[in-house]
Amino acid sequence: MRISHIMFFDVERAKRAQNTLSRLAIITPLDISSIDIIVGLDVSYHSSNAVATAVAYSINRKNVIAVEVATKPVKVPYIPGLLAFREAPVMFLALKKLITKLKKIDVIMVNGHGLAHPRKCGIATHIGVVIDLPTIGIAKKLLYGEIVFVDSRLAIVVDGNIVGYAVNRRGRNIYVSIGHRITADDALRIALATWDVNHLLPEPIELADKISKEYKYIIASNNK
DNA sequence: GCGACAG
DNA sequence: ATCTTGTCGC
């Protein structure tokens, strides 16, 4: 039996890349009033294929504007802290398809963390820095950081700084963190502005997750 | 060495 | 993430 190339992933090199990318992450306020199009990014799997879905959601119209799906054989194992090297490549494929069909994108929401990460470079920050657009990380579980009560809110603190907030939904916490070109407060405002009270996740991510699972068999078989 | 560990 | 029926609880 031949050794799978999945074993040749260079962990130390990946961590060095994250340290480099994290230094390029920018924390800055957004003009909330002009924000409209939020893109949600998520990935599902079918056998050895990753299926990424990019959903463009309009805050003003409270509706989906466009959807694009992309697939790619998975070549990197899942290692906590290094998720971006497994999922970002296929997310970029779906994102590029979507960008060619839209006038503009205001913010991108990624399923995963941003600065709430051991090297301050979760997948949301990784993607944001690479394409230089505002990004927000949305995760169902905490990976890194401390939860601290600040002004009656649950703040995610890393190295003494608030990098995001935990939002209680359906009795469990959902973690919203800074990805790139945004502040923790603005990330929270935008997440709440797109959050359907009946759903566990903000709508762009909720929809990307559902659509990705809905089409993975069709897309994956179409990929053979 | 031990435990934790996004999707 | 994914493999999966019934089942406990609001």
Side-chain angles (χ1 to χ4, degrees):
Chain A
M1 188 179 287
R2 195 178 300 175
I3 299 174
S4 166
H5 62 192
I6 203 170
M7 294 183 69
F8 298 142
F9 180 66
D10 190 337
V11 171
E12 292 311 316
R13 184 170 181 280
K15 289 182 178 177
R16 289 199 295 275
Q18 291 185 323
N19 286 322
T20 297
L21 288 174
S22 72
R23 289 182 214 112
L24 301 174
I26 295 171
I27 299 176
T28 182
L30 279 181
D31 180 7
I32 299 291
S33 61
S34 67
I35 297 298
D36 182 30
I37 305 299
I38 311 296
V39 170
L41 286 178
D42 190 28
V43 172
S44 63
Y45 297 88
H46 182 237
S47 61
S48 59
N49 290 308
V51 180
T53 300
V55 176
Y57 181 86
S58 164
I59 291 182
N60 299 329
R61 297 171 57 179
K62 291 183 181 301
N63 230 326
V64 173
I65 303 303
V67 176
E68 285 296 338
V69 178
T71 65
K72 196 176 191 299
V74 187
K75 295 180 178 178
V76 175
Y78 167 66
I79 300 172
L82 300 178
L83 174 67
F85 296 90
R86 178 178 169 86
E87 301 194 341
V90 68
M91 282 182 171
F92 281 131
L93 293 181
L95 192 54
K96 285 173 185 170
K97 285 187 177 180
L98 191 67
I99 287 176
T100 64
K101 295 192 172 182
L102 298 174
K103 269 189 175 181
K104 66 159 187 161
I105 286 177
D106 296 308
V107 179
I108 297 171
M109 252 180 216
V110 186
N111 193 336
H113 292 287
L115 297 186
H117 177 280
R119 288 167 294 283
K120 299 188 184 67
C121 190
I123 190 167
T125 298
H126 186 122
I127 288 177
V129 168
V130 170
I131 66 176
D132 198 32
L133 278 177
T135 56
I136 297 171
I138 302 292
K140 301 181 199 66
K141 299 173 188 170
L142 187 64
L143 168 69
Y144 188 79
E146 292 178 39
I147 300 304
V148 181
F149 287 98
V150 179
D151 297 331
S152 74
R153 294 191 296 193
L154 296 173
I156 304 173
V157 177
V158 171
D159 291 347
N161 300 309
I162 295 177
V163 299
Y165 295 97
V167 177
N168 196 279
R169 278 293 183 281
R170 294 182 167 185
R172 57 181 291 185
N173 283 339
I174 298 301
Y175 305 89
V176 178
S177 63
I178 297 169
H180 180 56
R181 287 190 176 287
I182 199 166
T183 62
D185 281 16
D186 285 346
L188 179 60
R189 286 193 195 99
I190 292 174
L192 293 176
T194 62
W195 219 317
D196 182 324
V197 289
N198 298 308
H199 293 160
L200 182 64
L201 300 165
E203 214 53 11
I205 291 296
E206 178 82 21
L207 290 167
D209 176 59
K210 285 178 177 170
I211 296 172
S212 203
K213 285 171 179 165
E214 180 182 344
Y215 284 98
K216 65 179 182 177
Y217 299 107
I218 302 172
I219 301 299
S221 61
N222 193 35
N223 194 34
K224 288 181 180 179

